Amino acid sequence: MAKSNKPIVWGLFAAGGTVAAFVIPVMILITGFLLPLGLFGSGEASYERMSEIVGNPLVKIVLFGIIVLALWHAAHRLRITAHDFGIRNDALVARGVYGFAALFSLIALMALLSI
Amino acid sequence: MSRNPYVREVPRTTWYMRNRRYIRYMLREVTCVFIGLYAASLTVGLVRLAQGPGEWAVYVNGISSPSGLLFSLLALGFACYHSISWFNVTPKAMRIPRGDDFVPGPAIISAHYIIWGVVSLVFLLMMGVL
């Protein structure tokens, strides 16, 4: 049987899409609206509060999982959608989108490890 | 093969503009841009948090600016559209056998919406805003 990496690539895409569908809207609500509104305190207080929440190892693991899966989902979908927009250089698109996802996954990992 | 095959002209970059179904399809696919950008901006927030209170304040100022809030609004809209379009096709992806038949599609979709609500509530409770 021919070997293919498609099940892994599409499996991660589906996992990321599902996780994103469940958590991204509420996360945007929290970080994009409630945080600017000052619901976690203003200035130094919001820093203390967020450091405490994100400092929890379980929260770090969950956040890392969400970020990596969401990035992968977005990268893979954008690669396929680029074709629909008439961009036919798949090799270049793949390098760009997966590279972006890998770079930000790495940055997220390093940031989480130093919080 | 005929000597003069009929080739329908399809504009490569604007083909989806002539049919609402295609526009909806492209809108659904484009949600990924906002999911990706939000994940990246969240990552930047974590970097700022790791750097210290001063850097964190710069990040909070950025997302509180008019352009920051506009991005959040757009991202929220597209993220919700992603959730809705994703949940509405779940019966096609999961066929759950029950007796001689399958669990009906609307039940699978409803279950996803209920879980969506519960997950959102749990996140808000964990953040201490409810």
Side-chain angles (χ1 to χ4, degrees), chain A residues 13-37 39-40 43-44 46-51 53-54 59 62-63 66-67 70-71 73-75 77-78 80-81 83-88 100 104-105 107-108 110-112 114-115, chain B residues 12-13 15-16 25-26 28-44 46-54 56-57 59-60 63-64 68-69 71-73 75-76 79-80 82-87 111-113 115-116 119-121 123-124 126-129:
Chain A
F13 162 78
T18 304
V19 167
F22 283 127
V23 306
I24 296 291
V26 72
M27 287 180 72
I28 296 174
L29 185 68
I30 291 166
T31 65
F33 296 100
L34 303 183
L35 177 63
L37 279 172
L39 258 82
F40 307 107
E44 197 89 2
S46 86
Y47 172 77
E48 297 292 337
R49 184 81 187 282
M50 282 296 171
S51 300
I53 294 169
V54 181
V59 172
V62 170
L63 262 178
I66 291 171
I67 289 172
L71 283 170
H73 163 84
R77 194 172 223 180
L78 191 58
I80 305 302
T81 304
H83 186 273
D84 290 339
F85 276 114
I87 303 164
R88 295 293 144 90
F100 180 88
F104 275 87
S105 299
I107 295 173
M110 295 198 304
L112 284 167
S114 58
I115 289 173
Chain B
R12 196 184 249 199
T13 53
W15 57 271
Y16 50 88
Y25 162 79
M26 284 306 245
R28 189 192 83 197
E29 295 298 297
V30 163
T31 58
C32 73
V33 172
F34 289 89
I35 301 279
L37 286 178
Y38 174 70
S41 85
L42 190 65
T43 301
V44 172
L46 291 174
V47 170
R48 291 304 192 198
L49 191 64
Q51 285 171 335
W56 173 250
Y59 173 72
V60 175
I63 58 169
S64 308
L69 288 171
F71 169 73
S72 293
L73 196 64
L76 184 62
C80 286
H82 165 69
S83 302
I84 292 163
S85 59
W86 192 267
F87 294 149
H112 279 86
Y113 277 94
I115 297 169
W116 187 19
V119 168
S120 302
L121 280 177
F123 268 65
L124 292 172
M126 276 177 52
M127 295 303 293
V129 289

